[in-house]
Amino acid sequence: MRVPTATVPPATVSAGDRQLRRIERDTLIVGGGLALGALLLWPSHPARAAGVAGGLALMALSYQGIRSGVDAVWPRPGPGVPAAGETAAPVSPTLRARFGFVKFFTRNAILALSAYVMMARFEFDPMAMLAGVSTPAIAATIEFARTMRVGSDGSHSRLS
Amino acid sequence: MSTRSILSALLMLLVVGLVSPVHAQDAAGATGTALVQWSIITAGFALAIAALGGALGQGRAVASATEAIARNPGAAGEIRGALILGLVLIESLVIYVLLISLILFFLKPFGG
């Protein structure tokens, strides 16, 4: 008899979610590496490392807002949530979904305010902030290269 | 491009062209002041164009994802992932422009 565990059921983690998690991890690694590199290269200018971290934080805010909005519209399949394609009873909007919508629609205001505070008040380095904002694009490029490499090896794609 | 769009673009150029001489009539330091004014006007237009392009792109992405999920509900997980990634990358371009506009607004790299 199989003992039920508290782990996430396989149905809740799709290939798209796995890909997103790899990109999240790569973004953190690239951003952390850039911030550490800035700190090591310019130890007398901590505003540069802080700028990279600030840009990363801006992208994290944006990502969380977008993700919670998408999750509010299309909930991830899991326990208690009908899988895609199944007929589901109408569910009233939960507090999480409402909060997700609020985050989705107010994310640009939050981003603008945060960027203003970082740049004009905390005086983070603006070029470093741009580098920090670039980290998701770098991570997506890494993921694309990884997918192409796995595909060209003749094995199955990691997306599937 | 429709005639209305061309006329709107020409009107905007005319307004931008009129704004600078009105506010830069002092002889002393006119060049620097005009440069600052132009940089601020450019930042505003850049932010507006980036917001417009980003909104259009995100709208198309969400519309396509909705249609794809409606056609093939079994692929909703993969489509969600691609949609989130696409929206984040579009948003990152808008944030680039936001940061550059904030640099022009508050740090004033051209003096002033």
Side-chain angles (χ1 to χ4, degrees):
Chain A
M1 182 179 171
R2 180 173 288 178
V3 178
T5 59
T7 55
V8 179
T12 61
V13 183
S14 66
D17 282 336
R18 282 198 299 274
Q19 188 186 29
L20 276 180
R21 285 180 190 172
R22 284 197 300 271
I23 292 176
E24 286 172 18
R25 183 199 60 198
D26 290 348
T27 302
L28 282 177
I29 291 172
V30 170
L34 280 176
L36 193 63
L39 202 59
L40 291 176
L41 278 176
W42 299 285
S44 58
H45 295 93
R48 291 183 179 161
V52 175
L56 198 59
L58 285 181
M59 285 312 298
L61 276 173
S62 168
Y63 175 71
Q64 284 300 321
I66 289 172
R67 182 158 193 168
S68 54
V70 172
D71 283 345
V73 177
W74 295 299
R76 272 174 287 181
V81 178
E86 292 180 0
T87 307
V91 180
S92 62
T94 60
L95 189 63
R96 177 178 290 184
R98 287 181 193 168
F99 189 59
F101 277 127
V102 169
K103 276 203 290 187
F104 183 76
F105 288 113
T106 58
R107 73 183 192 282
N108 286 320
I110 296 170
L111 276 175
L113 185 66
S114 307
Y116 165 74
V117 169
M118 287 177 193
M119 194 175 289
R121 299 294 173 197
F122 293 160
E123 297 181 349
F124 287 176
D125 190 84
M127 292 301 129
M129 287 182 73
L130 287 175
V133 168
S134 305
T135 48
I138 297 171
T141 308
I142 292 171
E143 175 64 19
F144 177 71
R146 186 185 291 138
T147 307
M148 294 300 290
R149 187 170 56 84
V150 171
S152 67
D153 286 347
S155 56
H156 66 282
S157 167
R158 295 188 69 162
L159 290 174
S160 59
Chain B
M1 183 179 280
S2 66
T3 312
R4 184 176 293 178
S5 304
I6 295 171
L7 284 177
S8 302
L10 287 175
L11 187 63
M12 274 195 287
L13 280 176
L14 184 66
V15 169
V16 170
L18 287 176
V19 164
S20 181
V22 166
H23 291 97
Q25 290 189 353
D26 289 342
T31 308
T33 311
L35 196 57
V36 171
Q37 285 173 351
W38 273 109
S39 68
I40 291 173
I41 290 168
T42 305
F45 272 98
L47 199 50
I49 293 168
L52 175 71
L56 285 176
Q58 290 189 342
R60 283 180 65 90
V62 171
S64 299
T66 307
E67 189 179 338
I69 290 176
R71 284 177 188 271
N72 186 6
E78 285 76 11
I79 295 168
R80 274 183 71 258
L83 172 67
I84 292 174
L85 181 60
L87 290 179
V88 168
L89 291 179
I90 293 171
E91 187 97 343
S92 72
L93 294 178
V94 181
I95 296 175
Y96 284 146
V97 180
L98 171 71
L99 289 180
I100 289 170
S101 298
L102 286 178
I103 291 171
L104 292 175
F105 280 139
F106 296 112
L107 302 184
K108 295 186 175 60
F110 301 115

